[in-house]
Short mmCIF file of all heavy atoms in Angstrom, two decimals:
data_model
loop_
_atom_site.label_atom_id
_atom_site.label_comp_id
_atom_site.label_asym_id
_atom_site.label_seq_id
_atom_site.Cartn_x
_atom_site.Cartn_y
_atom_site.Cartn_z
N GLN A 143 11.90 -22.07 -11.75
CA GLN A 143 11.95 -23.51 -11.45
C GLN A 143 11.13 -23.90 -10.23
O GLN A 143 10.48 -24.94 -10.23
CB GLN A 143 13.40 -23.95 -11.27
CG GLN A 143 14.20 -23.88 -12.55
CD GLN A 143 15.67 -24.23 -12.35
OE1 GLN A 143 16.17 -24.32 -11.24
NE2 GLN A 143 16.37 -24.42 -13.48
N GLN A 144 11.16 -23.10 -9.16
CA GLN A 144 10.47 -23.49 -7.94
C GLN A 144 9.03 -22.99 -7.86
O GLN A 144 8.18 -23.63 -7.26
CB GLN A 144 11.24 -22.99 -6.71
CG GLN A 144 12.58 -23.67 -6.53
CD GLN A 144 13.29 -23.19 -5.26
OE1 GLN A 144 12.66 -22.74 -4.32
NE2 GLN A 144 14.60 -23.30 -5.26
N ILE A 145 8.79 -21.81 -8.44
CA ILE A 145 7.46 -21.21 -8.34
C ILE A 145 6.68 -21.37 -9.65
O ILE A 145 5.46 -21.36 -9.65
CB ILE A 145 7.56 -19.71 -7.97
CG1 ILE A 145 8.53 -19.49 -6.80
CG2 ILE A 145 6.19 -19.11 -7.66
CD1 ILE A 145 8.18 -20.22 -5.52
N GLY A 146 7.39 -21.52 -10.75
CA GLY A 146 6.74 -21.69 -12.04
C GLY A 146 6.40 -20.39 -12.74
O GLY A 146 5.74 -20.39 -13.78
N ARG A 147 6.89 -19.26 -12.21
CA ARG A 147 6.62 -17.94 -12.81
C ARG A 147 7.83 -17.04 -12.63
O ARG A 147 8.15 -16.65 -11.52
CB ARG A 147 5.41 -17.28 -12.13
CG ARG A 147 4.09 -18.00 -12.24
CD ARG A 147 3.40 -17.87 -13.59
NE ARG A 147 3.30 -16.55 -14.10
CZ ARG A 147 2.34 -15.67 -13.85
NH1 ARG A 147 1.38 -15.97 -13.00
NH2 ARG A 147 2.34 -14.48 -14.41
N GLU A 148 8.48 -16.73 -13.72
CA GLU A 148 9.66 -15.87 -13.68
C GLU A 148 9.34 -14.47 -13.15
O GLU A 148 10.19 -13.80 -12.57
CB GLU A 148 10.22 -15.75 -15.11
CG GLU A 148 11.71 -15.66 -15.16
CD GLU A 148 12.24 -15.75 -16.58
OE1 GLU A 148 12.48 -16.89 -17.04
OE2 GLU A 148 12.41 -14.68 -17.20
N VAL A 149 8.11 -14.05 -13.33
CA VAL A 149 7.69 -12.70 -12.95
C VAL A 149 7.85 -12.42 -11.45
O VAL A 149 7.93 -11.27 -11.05
CB VAL A 149 6.24 -12.42 -13.42
CG1 VAL A 149 5.23 -13.21 -12.61
CG2 VAL A 149 5.92 -10.95 -13.39
N VAL A 150 7.92 -13.46 -10.62
CA VAL A 150 8.08 -13.24 -9.18
C VAL A 150 9.53 -13.31 -8.73
O VAL A 150 9.83 -13.41 -7.54
CB VAL A 150 7.20 -14.21 -8.34
CG1 VAL A 150 5.72 -13.92 -8.56
CG2 VAL A 150 7.55 -15.66 -8.62
N GLY A 151 10.46 -13.17 -9.67
CA GLY A 151 11.88 -13.10 -9.33
C GLY A 151 12.18 -11.96 -8.39
O GLY A 151 13.07 -12.05 -7.54
N ASN A 152 11.42 -10.87 -8.51
CA ASN A 152 11.61 -9.74 -7.60
C ASN A 152 11.28 -10.10 -6.16
O ASN A 152 11.93 -9.62 -5.22
CB ASN A 152 10.81 -8.51 -8.04
CG ASN A 152 9.31 -8.73 -7.98
OD1 ASN A 152 8.79 -9.83 -8.16
ND2 ASN A 152 8.58 -7.65 -7.75
N MET A 153 10.29 -10.95 -5.96
CA MET A 153 9.93 -11.36 -4.60
C MET A 153 10.97 -12.34 -4.03
O MET A 153 11.25 -12.32 -2.82
CB MET A 153 8.54 -11.98 -4.56
CG MET A 153 7.41 -10.99 -4.82
SD MET A 153 7.29 -9.73 -3.53
CE MET A 153 7.54 -8.25 -4.47
N VAL A 154 11.55 -13.17 -4.88
CA VAL A 154 12.64 -14.04 -4.44
C VAL A 154 13.81 -13.16 -3.98
O VAL A 154 14.38 -13.37 -2.90
CB VAL A 154 13.09 -15.01 -5.56
CG1 VAL A 154 14.26 -15.86 -5.09
CG2 VAL A 154 11.94 -15.90 -6.03
N ALA A 155 14.13 -12.16 -4.79
CA ALA A 155 15.22 -11.23 -4.45
C ALA A 155 14.90 -10.48 -3.16
O ALA A 155 15.77 -10.31 -2.29
CB ALA A 155 15.47 -10.26 -5.60
N LEU A 156 13.67 -10.02 -3.02
CA LEU A 156 13.27 -9.31 -1.81
C LEU A 156 13.43 -10.19 -0.57
O LEU A 156 13.92 -9.73 0.47
CB LEU A 156 11.82 -8.83 -1.92
CG LEU A 156 11.23 -8.18 -0.66
CD1 LEU A 156 12.01 -6.93 -0.28
CD2 LEU A 156 9.76 -7.87 -0.87
N GLY A 157 13.06 -11.45 -0.67
CA GLY A 157 13.24 -12.36 0.45
C GLY A 157 14.70 -12.48 0.86
O GLY A 157 15.04 -12.44 2.04
N ALA A 158 15.58 -12.59 -0.13
CA ALA A 158 17.01 -12.69 0.16
C ALA A 158 17.54 -11.40 0.78
O ALA A 158 18.26 -11.43 1.79
CB ALA A 158 17.78 -13.01 -1.12
N VAL A 159 17.16 -10.26 0.22
CA VAL A 159 17.61 -8.97 0.77
C VAL A 159 17.11 -8.81 2.20
O VAL A 159 17.85 -8.42 3.10
CB VAL A 159 17.15 -7.80 -0.11
CG1 VAL A 159 17.39 -6.46 0.58
CG2 VAL A 159 17.88 -7.83 -1.46
N GLY A 160 15.84 -9.11 2.42
CA GLY A 160 15.27 -9.00 3.75
C GLY A 160 15.97 -9.89 4.76
O GLY A 160 16.28 -9.48 5.88
N TYR A 161 16.28 -11.11 4.34
CA TYR A 161 16.99 -12.04 5.23
C TYR A 161 18.40 -11.54 5.54
O TYR A 161 18.84 -11.57 6.68
CB TYR A 161 17.05 -13.43 4.60
CG TYR A 161 17.80 -14.41 5.46
CD1 TYR A 161 17.16 -15.06 6.52
CD2 TYR A 161 19.15 -14.66 5.26
CE1 TYR A 161 17.84 -15.94 7.34
CE2 TYR A 161 19.85 -15.54 6.07
CZ TYR A 161 19.20 -16.18 7.11
OH TYR A 161 19.89 -17.03 7.93
N LEU A 162 19.10 -11.05 4.52
CA LEU A 162 20.50 -10.64 4.69
C LEU A 162 20.65 -9.33 5.46
O LEU A 162 21.56 -9.18 6.26
CB LEU A 162 21.18 -10.54 3.33
CG LEU A 162 21.36 -11.86 2.58
CD1 LEU A 162 21.77 -11.61 1.14
CD2 LEU A 162 22.37 -12.75 3.29
N CYS A 163 19.76 -8.37 5.22
CA CYS A 163 19.94 -7.07 5.86
C CYS A 163 19.41 -7.05 7.29
O CYS A 163 19.82 -6.22 8.08
CB CYS A 163 19.33 -5.95 5.04
SG CYS A 163 17.55 -5.76 5.18
N LYS A 164 18.53 -7.96 7.62
CA LYS A 164 17.98 -8.09 8.98
C LYS A 164 17.37 -6.79 9.52
O LYS A 164 17.31 -6.58 10.72
CB LYS A 164 19.07 -8.61 9.93
CG LYS A 164 19.63 -9.96 9.50
CD LYS A 164 20.53 -10.55 10.52
CE LYS A 164 21.23 -11.81 10.09
NZ LYS A 164 20.57 -12.73 9.23
N ALA A 165 16.92 -5.93 8.63
CA ALA A 165 16.32 -4.65 9.04
C ALA A 165 14.83 -4.77 9.32
O ALA A 165 14.26 -3.92 9.98
CB ALA A 165 16.55 -3.59 7.97
N VAL A 166 14.20 -5.82 8.80
CA VAL A 166 12.78 -6.04 9.01
C VAL A 166 12.57 -7.51 9.34
O VAL A 166 13.36 -8.37 8.95
CB VAL A 166 11.92 -5.66 7.78
CG1 VAL A 166 12.02 -4.18 7.49
CG2 VAL A 166 12.32 -6.46 6.57
N SER A 167 11.50 -7.81 10.04
CA SER A 167 11.23 -9.20 10.38
C SER A 167 10.62 -9.92 9.18
O SER A 167 9.93 -9.31 8.36
CB SER A 167 10.27 -9.27 11.57
OG SER A 167 8.99 -8.82 11.18
N PRO A 168 10.86 -11.23 9.08
CA PRO A 168 10.24 -12.00 8.00
C PRO A 168 8.72 -11.90 8.04
O PRO A 168 8.07 -11.84 6.99
CB PRO A 168 10.71 -13.44 8.27
CG PRO A 168 11.97 -13.29 9.06
CD PRO A 168 11.78 -12.04 9.89
N GLU A 169 8.15 -11.86 9.23
CA GLU A 169 6.69 -11.77 9.36
C GLU A 169 6.17 -10.45 8.78
O GLU A 169 5.12 -10.43 8.12
CB GLU A 169 6.29 -11.89 10.84
CG GLU A 169 6.62 -13.22 11.49
CD GLU A 169 8.10 -13.37 11.90
OE1 GLU A 169 8.82 -12.36 11.99
OE2 GLU A 169 8.52 -14.52 12.11
N SER A 170 6.90 -9.37 9.02
CA SER A 170 6.50 -8.07 8.48
C SER A 170 6.60 -8.06 6.96
O SER A 170 5.75 -7.49 6.28
CB SER A 170 7.34 -6.95 9.08
OG SER A 170 7.05 -6.83 10.46
N LEU A 171 7.64 -8.68 6.44
CA LEU A 171 7.76 -8.78 4.97
C LEU A 171 6.59 -9.57 4.39
O LEU A 171 6.02 -9.17 3.38
CB LEU A 171 9.09 -9.44 4.59
CG LEU A 171 10.28 -8.52 4.43
CD1 LEU A 171 11.55 -9.33 4.21
CD2 LEU A 171 10.08 -7.54 3.29
N GLU A 172 6.24 -10.66 5.03
CA GLU A 172 5.12 -11.46 4.54
C GLU A 172 3.82 -10.67 4.59
O GLU A 172 3.02 -10.71 3.63
CB GLU A 172 5.00 -12.76 5.34
CG GLU A 172 6.12 -13.73 5.05
CD GLU A 172 5.99 -15.06 5.76
OE1 GLU A 172 5.00 -15.26 6.50
OE2 GLU A 172 6.88 -15.91 5.58
N GLU A 173 3.59 -9.94 5.67
CA GLU A 173 2.38 -9.13 5.77
C GLU A 173 2.35 -8.05 4.69
O GLU A 173 1.30 -7.79 4.08
CB GLU A 173 2.28 -8.48 7.15
CG GLU A 173 1.93 -9.45 8.26
CD GLU A 173 1.71 -8.74 9.58
OE1 GLU A 173 0.70 -8.01 9.69
OE2 GLU A 173 2.54 -8.91 10.49
N ALA A 174 3.49 -7.41 4.45
CA ALA A 174 3.56 -6.35 3.44
C ALA A 174 3.33 -6.91 2.04
O ALA A 174 2.65 -6.29 1.22
CB ALA A 174 4.90 -5.63 3.53
N VAL A 175 3.90 -8.08 1.76
CA VAL A 175 3.68 -8.71 0.45
C VAL A 175 2.19 -9.01 0.27
O VAL A 175 1.60 -8.66 -0.76
CB VAL A 175 4.51 -10.01 0.30
CG1 VAL A 175 4.04 -10.84 -0.89
CG2 VAL A 175 5.99 -9.67 0.14
N ALA A 176 1.59 -9.65 1.25
CA ALA A 176 0.17 -10.02 1.14
C ALA A 176 -0.73 -8.80 0.95
O ALA A 176 -1.73 -8.87 0.23
CB ALA A 176 -0.26 -10.80 2.38
N ALA A 177 -0.36 -7.68 1.56
CA ALA A 177 -1.17 -6.46 1.45
C ALA A 177 -0.93 -5.71 0.15
O ALA A 177 -1.82 -5.00 -0.33
CB ALA A 177 -0.87 -5.53 2.63
N ARG A 178 0.24 -5.84 -0.46
CA ARG A 178 0.62 -5.02 -1.61
C ARG A 178 0.35 -5.67 -2.97
O ARG A 178 0.02 -4.99 -3.93
CB ARG A 178 2.10 -4.66 -1.47
CG ARG A 178 2.75 -3.97 -2.65
CD ARG A 178 2.11 -2.71 -3.12
NE ARG A 178 2.13 -1.63 -2.17
CZ ARG A 178 1.76 -0.39 -2.46
NH1 ARG A 178 1.34 -0.10 -3.68
NH2 ARG A 178 1.77 0.55 -1.56
N VAL A 179 0.52 -6.98 -3.08
CA VAL A 179 0.40 -7.62 -4.40
C VAL A 179 -1.06 -7.70 -4.84
O VAL A 179 -1.97 -7.63 -4.01
CB VAL A 179 1.05 -9.03 -4.41
CG1 VAL A 179 2.54 -8.93 -4.09
CG2 VAL A 179 0.34 -9.98 -3.46
N PRO A 180 -1.31 -7.84 -6.15
CA PRO A 180 -2.69 -7.93 -6.63
C PRO A 180 -3.45 -9.10 -6.00
O PRO A 180 -2.87 -10.17 -5.76
CB PRO A 180 -2.52 -8.15 -8.15
CG PRO A 180 -1.16 -7.60 -8.46
CD PRO A 180 -0.32 -7.85 -7.25
N ALA A 181 -4.71 -8.87 -5.73
CA ALA A 181 -5.57 -9.91 -5.15
C ALA A 181 -5.51 -11.16 -6.01
O ALA A 181 -5.54 -11.09 -7.24
CB ALA A 181 -7.00 -9.41 -5.04
N GLY A 182 -5.40 -12.29 -5.36
CA GLY A 182 -5.33 -13.56 -6.07
C GLY A 182 -3.91 -14.03 -6.33
O GLY A 182 -3.71 -15.18 -6.72
N THR A 183 -2.92 -13.15 -6.12
CA THR A 183 -1.52 -13.54 -6.35
C THR A 183 -0.73 -13.65 -5.04
O THR A 183 0.48 -13.83 -5.06
CB THR A 183 -0.79 -12.55 -7.28
OG1 THR A 183 -0.64 -11.29 -6.59
CG2 THR A 183 -1.53 -12.35 -8.58
N GLU A 184 -1.43 -13.53 -3.93
CA GLU A 184 -0.74 -13.55 -2.63
C GLU A 184 0.07 -14.83 -2.44
O GLU A 184 1.23 -14.79 -2.02
CB GLU A 184 -1.74 -13.40 -1.47
CG GLU A 184 -2.47 -12.09 -1.45
CD GLU A 184 -3.80 -12.11 -2.21
OE1 GLU A 184 -4.06 -13.09 -2.95
OE2 GLU A 184 -4.57 -11.15 -2.05
N ASP A 185 -0.53 -15.97 -2.74
CA ASP A 185 0.15 -17.25 -2.50
C ASP A 185 1.43 -17.38 -3.30
O ASP A 185 2.48 -17.74 -2.75
CB ASP A 185 -0.79 -18.42 -2.81
CG ASP A 185 -0.11 -19.76 -2.56
OD1 ASP A 185 0.29 -20.01 -1.41
OD2 ASP A 185 0.03 -20.56 -3.52
N ILE A 186 1.38 -17.09 -4.57
CA ILE A 186 2.57 -17.24 -5.43
C ILE A 186 3.67 -16.26 -4.99
O ILE A 186 4.85 -16.60 -4.96
CB ILE A 186 2.22 -17.08 -6.93
CG1 ILE A 186 3.39 -17.48 -7.79
CG2 ILE A 186 1.78 -15.68 -7.26
CD1 ILE A 186 3.06 -17.56 -9.27
N ASN A 187 3.30 -15.05 -4.61
CA ASN A 187 4.29 -14.06 -4.18
C ASN A 187 4.89 -14.44 -2.82
O ASN A 187 6.09 -14.25 -2.60
CB ASN A 187 3.68 -12.66 -4.14
CG ASN A 187 3.60 -12.05 -5.52
OD1 ASN A 187 4.60 -11.60 -6.06
ND2 ASN A 187 2.42 -12.04 -6.11
N LEU A 188 4.08 -14.95 -1.92
CA LEU A 188 4.60 -15.38 -0.62
C LEU A 188 5.52 -16.59 -0.76
O LEU A 188 6.55 -16.69 -0.09
CB LEU A 188 3.46 -15.68 0.35
CG LEU A 188 2.74 -14.45 0.88
CD1 LEU A 188 1.45 -14.85 1.60
CD2 LEU A 188 3.65 -13.64 1.80
N ARG A 189 5.18 -17.50 -1.65
CA ARG A 189 6.06 -18.65 -1.91
C ARG A 189 7.40 -18.17 -2.47
O ARG A 189 8.46 -18.68 -2.08
CB ARG A 189 5.39 -19.64 -2.87
CG ARG A 189 4.30 -20.44 -2.19
CD ARG A 189 3.53 -21.37 -3.12
NE ARG A 189 4.32 -21.99 -4.16
CZ ARG A 189 3.95 -22.10 -5.43
NH1 ARG A 189 2.77 -21.65 -5.82
NH2 ARG A 189 4.72 -22.69 -6.30
#
């Protein structure tokens, strides 16, 4: 509904886990997502 792609449900879940466990900073999660996902999909995964 918010991103328009069900395939990024894992990234939504990762954001929630990262926020709840407080083991990593949000900035580090964002950097890791941008570095790991396929080129061209960074924006949708970060959203």
Side-chain angles (χ1 to χ4, degrees):
Q143 292 176 348
Q144 293 183 25
I145 312 301
R147 298 283 311 273
E148 214 171 272
V149 71
V150 294
N152 65 329
M153 291 295 120
V154 178
L156 175 61
V159 170
Y161 178 83
L162 293 168
C163 80
K164 302 188 186 326
V166 297
S167 69
E169 296 79 17
S170 293
L171 272 173
E172 290 183 1
E173 288 186 69
V175 166
R178 172 56 64 172
V179 298
T183 68
E184 296 91 349
D185 180 60
I186 190 171
N187 281 284
L188 287 169
R189 286 176 37 224

